[in-house]
Amino acid sequence: DAKTTQPPSMDCAEGRAANLPCNHSTISGNEYVYWYRQIHSQGPQYIIHGLKNNETNEMASLIITEDRKSSTLILPHATLRDTAVYYCIVRPLLSGGYQKVTFGTGTKLQVIP
Amino acid sequence: ETGVTQSPTHLIKTRGQQVTLRCSSQSGHNTVSWYQQALGQGPQFIFQYYREEENGRGNFPPRFSGLQFPNYSSELNVNALELDDSALYLCASSGPPGQGNEKLFFGSGTQLSVL
């Protein structure tokens, strides 16, 4: 799996958009960008994934640059419950029984009241 | 829809002992994987089970072993516990091919302390 680089920590004011960057300059053509988050004392939670087009769901938006070497996860209106460690992962699309995901150390997002 | 459940939530063992952790996968999911998460680190892949067989393994010694049962639930067994085995152990499941299986669903984990 391609390696990713994320800032170790970020702060965001409650109600504002949180923009979490991720660099993945060695990404391959068949590798997707996945984002998970882990709230303290819980297991990781899937947020969103994408290949090259921007994606949006009920939780967040994913913006991938045209050269696919970096991406940004956007939480449009951060709440205190969004305080968590956010992991950016690059890997082929999960299929069949192949579940290995390589997690880095992620970005610790602190939402401030 | 029932989520991924793990038991026990916390466990304390002494060095050299053996431990068994349990996981019930999400309804309809036939693939289960296990991860170890040390304090301050991201989860590290241990192995995965598909249709009751191990079909992928990370960089963990043979004293880490597992089982998957016909109902797709799973066990993680660790023999000869070492102090460095103290960690949060996470179980994840996903569905069969072609059914939105791009997502992993994680349980809340078992916190193992080895003294």
Side-chain angles (χ1 to χ4, degrees):
Chain A
D1 298 346
K3 187 174 180 179
T4 62
T5 303
Q6 299 179 253
S9 64
M10 293 181 63
D11 290 339
C12 178
E14 188 178 18
R16 303 296 294 270
N19 297 279
L20 291 90
C22 179
N23 287 321
H24 32 79
S25 59
T26 60
I27 191 171
S28 300
N30 69 335
E31 290 182 316
Y32 286 68
V33 180
Y34 284 81
W35 284 84
Y36 283 78
R37 73 179 182 183
Q38 187 172 23
I39 297 170
H40 184 60
S41 299
Q42 298 182 22
Q45 176 190 25
Y46 166 86
I47 301 173
I48 199 167
H49 75 285
L51 182 62
K52 54 184 178 181
N53 296 322
N54 298 337
E55 302 286 345
T56 296
N57 63 19
E58 65 279 4
M59 291 183 68
S61 295
L62 173 61
I63 308 298
I64 303 173
T65 58
E66 189 170 347
D67 63 7
R68 302 210 319 124
K69 294 185 177 181
S70 66
S71 60
T72 301
L73 178 75
I74 301 172
L75 308 178
H77 305 287
T79 71
L80 299 179
R81 288 173 293 182
D82 292 322
T83 292
V85 177
Y86 287 76
Y87 296 100
C88 170
I89 296 151
V90 175
R91 55 154 293 123
L93 185 68
L94 281 170
S95 62
Y98 188 53
Q99 292 191 341
K100 180 180 179 182
V101 174
T102 302
F103 290 87
T105 53
T107 296
K108 181 173 177 55
L109 175 68
Q110 182 73 49
V111 180
I112 302 168
Chain B
E1 188 175 71
T2 306
V4 178
T5 58
Q6 294 186 241
S7 62
T9 55
H10 296 82
L11 200 54
I12 299 174
K13 292 287 189 178
T14 57
R15 193 170 51 183
Q17 285 188 312
Q18 178 266 342
V19 68
T20 297
L21 310 182
R22 295 178 174 83
C23 171
S24 294
S25 61
Q26 184 156 322
S27 177
H29 287 185
N30 61 1
T31 306
V32 174
S33 54
W34 288 89
Y35 288 77
Q36 180 196 66
Q37 185 173 24
L39 190 64
Q41 303 297 315
Q44 300 299 306
F45 176 77
I46 303 175
F47 47 54
Q48 66 187 38
Y49 278 83
Y50 177 61
R51 294 185 175 178
E52 303 179 50
E53 291 189 0
E54 181 182 310
N55 71 337
R57 190 174 185 95
N59 188 27
F60 282 82
R63 60 189 185 84
F64 285 79
S65 63
L67 286 171
Q68 186 180 32
F69 301 99
N71 66 354
Y72 306 131
S73 65
S74 177
E75 288 183 355
L76 165 64
N77 299 290
V78 186
N79 294 322
L81 283 167
E82 301 177 359
L83 298 180
D84 286 348
D85 295 334
S86 295
L88 179 68
Y89 288 85
L90 294 160
C91 170
S93 72
S94 70
Q99 297 185 23
N101 66 336
E102 64 274 13
K103 307 174 187 177
L104 283 181
F105 293 83
F106 285 83
S108 295
T110 294
Q111 184 65 54
L112 173 65
S113 297
V114 182
L115 306 178

